[in-house]
Each structure stands twice: as C-alpha cells, then as structure tokens.
Amino acid sequence: MDSIYIGGGRELKGSVLISGAKNAVLPMMAASLLADGTTTIENVPNLRDTITMASLLEVTGAEVNLDFPSLSVNTSTMDTPKAPYELVKTMRASFYVLGPLLSRFGEAKVSLPGGCAWGPRPVDFHLRALKKMGASIKLKEGYVLAKAPYLKGCSVRFDFPSVGATGNILMAATRARGTTTIENAAMEPEIEQLAEMLKLMGAQIEGIGTSYLTVHGVEHLKPITISVIPDRIEIGTFLIAGALMGKVTVKNSVPSQLTSLLEKLHSAGTQVDIDRESITASFTGRVNPVDLTTAVYPGFPTDLQAQWIAFMCLADGSSMLTDSVYHDRFSHVPELNRLGADIKTEHNTAFVRGVKKLKGAEVMSTDIRASASLIIAGLAAEGETLVSRIYHIDRGYENIVGKFQSLGAEIKRIKS
Ligand code: UD1
C-alpha cells in the first residue's frame, strides 16, 4: 500500500487550482440515471470515489465513458437495478443510486452502506421517506429491496437535514406521480447543484437553496451537459494549510460558500484576501486559538473539522472543537498526538492545547478528511512524517501531493 512522505517545516507559497467537488459529482452521477439518453458531466475530479461510482453505474447496464475531467453516461442500455456490496461498502455515497433506480425500474436492490470510520451512519431517513412515497422496503442479507410500481408524491420531513437523504428523495421525487415536499432539507451547495442539474433536465423543483423543497413530478427527464462546482472542502483544506505555513491562493473558489470558515480564519489571526474567484490565506506570525462547533450548511462543515484541529494544534493557547454532525469523528486525534499535539476528547468535543511545535512521526490515515489533517500537521511539523493507508486520501482529494509540491512543500508518494 502506498504512503506519503513529508519533510516538514517548509514555507508554502503560491496558488492551487481547485478540482470539482466530490460531494457534488457523486449525486450528479447518480442523477444521470434518471435521464433518457446520454448525460455529460464536466470538471469531474479524478478520485477513487468517482471511479467507484462509474463502476456502479456500469453495473446497472449504463454505458459509461470516463475520460477525466469529462464523463458521459448513456442510460439507453440500462437493465439491472442493482448496487452490489463490493462497491457500496467502499463508498457510502453509492446509496444515492437507490432513488434513481427505484424511480426508473419500479424496483431496486441496493446494499446497505454499513458503518464507517466515524461510527454508525444510518440510512433510516432515506428508507422512511421512500416508504411514504409508496415503496415497499425489505432488508434482506444486507441489502435493501425496494419495490414500487410507481412512486407517489407526499410530504416528507427530515428530523435532521441529511445531505444524502435530501439528495436521494429529491431524485426519487422528480419522476414520481404528484407533488413531493421536503421539509428540513439540506441546503449544502452540493445539494443545490444537484437540484439545479435536475431542473435543467426538466424536473420541476421550487425552493432550490432553501430548506423547503417542492417537486412536481414529471414523466421524463432529458440528458444535459453540466460542469461540477469547485470543491469547497478542498478549498478549505488548502486555506488552512496556507494560514499555518505561508501564503496560499486558491483559484476558482466560491467565497460565499465558505463564509463560516473565512470568519474563523479571521478570528485565528489569518490574513484573508478575497478576490472574485480566488481566496488567499496568509500566516501573520501568530495563530489565535478559536473554538468552533460544526453544523450543517452554512455552518462550519464537519468535513473541515479534522483540518481545523491540525491548525489549532499550533495555536497560541487552548481551543475547543465540537462536532455536532458526527459525534464520533475524531480518529485523527491519536495520530495528531503522535506528532506531538496535545489533544483530549470527551464525547463529541476535542480539547486542544496549542504546542510550540509538532515533530514528524509515522502516522496512519483513517478517513478522507483525517488524512488531510495529518498531511497539514506533517507539513507543519519538524522532521519527517510518513502517512500510511493513503487510499483514503485518494478517495477524496485529486492529486493532493502534486498540489502541495507546487506550493513548495517537500512531499512525495512512496509506492510500495
Ligand atoms: C454527506 C457528505 C459527507 C459529510 C456529511 C455531513 C457526501 C457524499 N458526503 O454525508 O462528506 O460529512 O454529508 O455534511 O456528500 N443521519 C441519520 N439517518 C439518515 C441519514 C443521516 O440519522 O438516514 C444522520 C447521520 O448519522 C449524521 C447526520 O444525519 O449524524 C448527517 O448525515 P448526512 O447529512 O446524511 O451525511 P451523508 O449524506 O452521509
């Protein structure tokens, strides 16, 4: 298994071009199954997860042509409403195909995603809403067996604005009979792009970008061409690295999607310069400790919590970071402590006491964002760091090693 070698302590300087958003492209790829014909998606990031989703679409019989950064999906050959365990177990977002498959075939057999590195991640909201839309749902041998000759519009209210459940039900509702309303819907920019895509395909959706969506079902959706928005989590990752170690500009970013992060960076003493489509974060000689609690959009994203903790490890004082979205998402903490950090966790809060310096060590990557946090910490540490199990980072960051190299970091991939 490959690992990443980091020679820490180098200043980072320069600019990086941000790739398409992982969390936007995955549901968009699933949505392509709803169109009759060939959908083209541009600015597709070259990630293990996009390759997994492409394989999943192929299992359904769709003809998939993945030539990064372009992808086309022809659904005219689709004949198998199935998502097998071998693929779903590697990526929870595979569950996004349930809504589209059920809507197209009147039945679907999709593996349950199972647990993951940060505790149980249930799919009860997805299933409850589909039942309300008239589907019969059975769980058998680790699979969801869903059946509905047709889905019917209804009103759905999520207990929590789940990103995945909103996307799944939104897709299912586009071709349902009648009107579906989704209350307490997720408002993440990636869901907004999915809704915009469905609308371009001919879906009738009102309330895009709000927590209340209304979908009037239509008979058919048409194929379109669409380009994926930039990845706000990748943007945040590079800005935090710049705030700690130099001056980093992220190009093709959407500053309005990162307000919560930019405010926190400002409180941490980072100089933040915003241009129309680029953001620069510069280290100003001191990092102030800043507490935060993750929240759904537009709050501080849970997907940047691990990177923020790496940042706070070198702050001048103590900070408290609470994850209110995923209560058990702290697998990076023991690894950061191996690098000399001083972090304790209690329930869903990490208490970070800033240290003067971190020291390189061998660490293990445990999930996508935890890996990014270890890379940031390794780059800031004195000496050599080796991050193993980096297949996690390949799932969610396109060419992170090359991008950090272009900023002047001493970082390389070591093939095993
Ligand atoms: C998506 C993102 C992930 C991000 C997360 C929260 C993708 C591919 N992944 O994951 O990177 O960290 O949003 O922003 O977009 N829940 C239930 N029942 C359900 C569904 C969710 O209880 O049926 C709970 C979860 O356990 C969690 C919370 O709701 O506590 C949020 O989960 P959700 O928004 O669904 O996350 P994902 O869509 O899986």
Side-chain angles (χ1 to χ4, degrees):
M1 229 177 283
D2 291 2
S3 38
I4 290 178
Y5 165 87
I6 301 168
R10 292 262 197 111
E11 191 186 17
L12 301 181
K13 229 179 181 123
S15 57
V16 277
L17 197 63
I18 296 303
S19 303
K22 171 181 90 70
N23 289 353
V25 72
L26 297 174
M28 289 164 77
M29 289 171 75
S32 68
L33 296 181
L34 287 163
D36 304 310
T38 303
T39 296
T40 303
I41 306 179
E42 305 286 0
N43 199 29
V44 175
N46 187 344
L47 304 172
R48 188 182 281 256
D49 274 10
T50 46
I51 294 168
T52 301
M53 187 56 104
S55 305
L56 206 57
L57 302 185
E58 272 174 346
V59 170
T60 71
E63 204 180 285
V64 180
N65 190 350
L66 186 50
D67 182 13
F68 292 114
S70 188
L71 162 86
S72 67
V73 182
N74 177 359
T75 60
S76 59
T77 47
M78 248 171 99
D79 55 6
T80 311
K82 189 177 170 186
Y85 174 66
E86 301 81 74
L87 292 172
V88 179
K89 73 174 181 197
T90 66
M91 182 182 76
R92 179 182 162 84
S94 311
F95 208 65
Y96 271 127
V97 298
L98 176 60
L101 288 180
L102 183 59
S103 157
R104 285 218 59 157
F105 288 92
E107 60 176 326
K109 181 176 178 185
V110 175
S111 171
L112 281 165
C116 87
W118 70 86
R121 294 173 73 187
V123 287
D124 50 330
F125 300 165
H126 307 236
L127 301 184
R128 221 178 298 145
L130 287 173
K131 273 188 193 165
K132 232 182 152 188
M133 296 179 83
S136 88
I137 305 272
K138 284 196 185 120
L139 302 183
K140 202 174 165 200
E141 292 159 1
Y143 277 82
V144 175
L145 307 178
K147 267 195 180 155
Y150 62 90
L151 290 169
K152 57 178 195 294
C154 68
S155 53
V156 170
R157 187 183 194 287
F158 294 127
D159 295 340
F160 185 91
S162 155
V163 172
T166 302
N168 229 336
I169 301 311
L170 185 61
M171 289 189 275
T174 53
R175 290 176 59 152
R177 288 192 195 165
T179 297
T180 303
T181 54
I182 308 176
E183 208 182 319
N184 205 19
M187 296 192 291
E188 269 66 5
E190 295 76 21
I191 289 296
E192 189 174 339
Q193 179 163 50
L194 172 66
E196 293 290 1
M197 173 182 181
L198 293 166
K199 206 170 162 188
L200 271 176
M201 291 161 73
Q204 289 188 20
I205 305 173
E206 292 155 20
I208 295 178
T210 74
S211 64
Y212 191 91
L213 298 167
T214 303
V215 188
H216 306 289
V218 295
E219 291 229 335
H220 295 287
L221 294 180
K222 60 175 190 291
I224 53 153
T225 296
I226 187 164
S227 180
V228 182
I229 55 172
D231 194 314
R232 66 193 166 99
I233 305 302
E234 189 192 6
I235 295 171
T237 302
F238 279 101
L239 288 179
I240 291 171
L244 196 54
M245 282 164 285
K247 183 172 181 179
V248 171
T249 299
V250 285
K251 289 190 183 159
N252 71 326
S253 45
V254 186
S256 62
Q257 292 177 353
L258 284 147
T259 310
S260 59
L261 170 70
L262 299 181
E263 278 172 16
K264 291 292 178 188
L265 282 173
H266 186 73
S267 306
T270 304
Q271 186 180 326
V272 178
D273 297 298
I274 301 173
D275 211 350
R276 231 170 51 84
E277 282 189 354
S278 71
I279 310 174
T280 303
S282 317
F283 178 59
T284 54
R286 183 176 190 270
V287 177
N288 303 322
V290 177
D291 298 344
L292 62 79
T293 299
T294 66
V296 298
Y297 188 80
F300 192 94
T302 172
D303 284 350
L304 284 174
Q305 176 258 102
Q307 300 87 319
W308 189 265
I309 289 188
F311 185 33
M312 287 297 107
C313 287
L314 288 161
D316 201 354
S318 299
S319 56
M320 230 171 76
L321 303 314
T322 301
D323 200 318
S324 77
V325 179
Y326 285 108
H327 294 178
D328 191 18
R329 194 178 190 177
F330 291 108
S331 58
H332 41 288
V333 165
E335 301 302 307
L336 289 170
N337 283 342
R338 287 175 60 79
L339 294 169
D342 182 353
I343 315 169
K344 291 189 175 57
T345 53
E346 211 180 298
H347 305 298
N348 61 336
T349 299
F351 298 88
V352 185
R353 212 181 280 191
V355 293
K356 287 270 174 284
K357 56 186 171 193
L358 296 172
K359 283 224 157 135
E362 284 180 35
V363 289
M364 196 174 73
S365 134
T366 49
D367 73 51
I368 303 175
R369 309 307 169 186
S371 316
S373 145
L374 294 177
I375 290 178
I376 291 173
L379 289 169
E382 271 181 6
E384 300 180 339
T385 292
L386 198 67
V387 186
S388 59
R389 286 211 191 167
I390 58 159
Y391 55 85
H392 291 291
I393 202 106
D394 294 336
R395 286 191 50 203
Y397 284 91
E398 184 174 58
N399 188 23
I400 194 166
V401 167
K403 287 182 185 183
F404 272 120
Q405 278 171 349
S406 76
L407 295 173
E410 190 185 342
I411 180 169
K412 63 183 177 199
R413 198 176 173 109
I414 298 179
K415 299 255 177 225
S416 57

